[in-house]
Amino acid sequence: MQPQTKFGSADFGKTPPSIQVHMPERLAHPGVEKDDISDGFSAERKHPVHIVDLPSHAISMTIGGLNPGGRSGRHRHTYETILYVLEGRGYSMIEDRRIEWEVGDALYIPVWAWHHHVNADQNNPARYLACENAPMLQNAGGLAIREEAK
């Protein structure tokens, strides 16, 4: 991890002309769903969640599951989410809009929108991949890059 420097308005001229590649040790997370679910994270969300453990500073990825006939808790957040349905069929309530989904569909969850997800199948589970910009927001303000045209 590189040391974090806080910059202020007066430091605008100190932005670097280039950036160096930082190669993390871990570039893959094999068998994401073979790992145990994240117990605390899953309990909060009221459905099983596998967290993808990769060193991204801008996006996060999880695999969420909804038990047959199950649903997530209603919630909202300050980050955007895109869901891709891997298995099952159901719907999401995003504010007052009901969005039906099935395998192969993608959904967008806007910033601060109340929402929850429902598995409409009483016999089979549903699974989705969720990509979010939460790490970018968590790290906002820690990086300023400037590049001059050559």
Side-chain angles (χ1 to χ4, degrees):
M1 189 62 87
Q2 295 175 344
Q4 189 161 352
T5 303
K6 295 290 183 184
F7 293 98
S9 180
D11 299 317
F12 183 70
K14 296 177 184 173
T15 56
S18 63
I19 189 168
Q20 293 182 358
V21 174
H22 170 70
M23 286 297 292
E25 191 65 34
R26 184 174 182 153
L27 294 176
H29 180 169
V32 172
E33 291 184 274
K34 292 178 184 173
D35 291 344
D36 291 334
I37 63 168
S38 176
D39 292 332
F41 198 76
S42 296
E44 276 181 18
R45 282 141 185 84
K46 299 181 175 46
H47 63 91
V49 179
H50 294 272
I51 297 174
V52 176
D53 182 9
L54 291 172
S56 173
H57 296 270
I59 58 172
S60 64
M61 184 183 297
T62 58
I63 298 174
L66 295 169
N67 294 323
R71 64 166 276 175
S72 71
R74 185 174 185 248
H75 60 286
R76 64 183 180 176
H77 32 71
T78 60
Y79 46 87
E80 296 177 297
T81 303
I82 294 178
L83 297 181
Y84 179 76
V85 180
L86 300 167
E87 178 182 6
R89 63 180 174 80
Y91 65 91
S92 295
M93 290 300 301
I94 305 172
E95 289 287 334
D96 61 350
R97 293 174 60 183
R98 180 179 168 132
I99 309 298
E100 303 279 339
W101 46 257
E102 62 183 23
V103 174
D105 291 348
L107 290 82
Y108 173 70
I109 311 297
V111 170
W112 210 238
W114 286 105
H115 61 284
H116 68 274
H117 315 293
V118 178
N119 182 353
D121 191 326
Q122 299 298 315
N123 301 310
N124 298 297
R127 289 175 37 252
Y128 58 84
L129 180 69
C131 297
E132 300 164 329
N133 66 337
M136 181 181 67
L137 295 176
Q138 290 167 317
N139 291 308
L143 180 62
I145 299 172
R146 179 181 171 124
E147 182 179 8
E148 299 290 336
K150 296 184 187 231

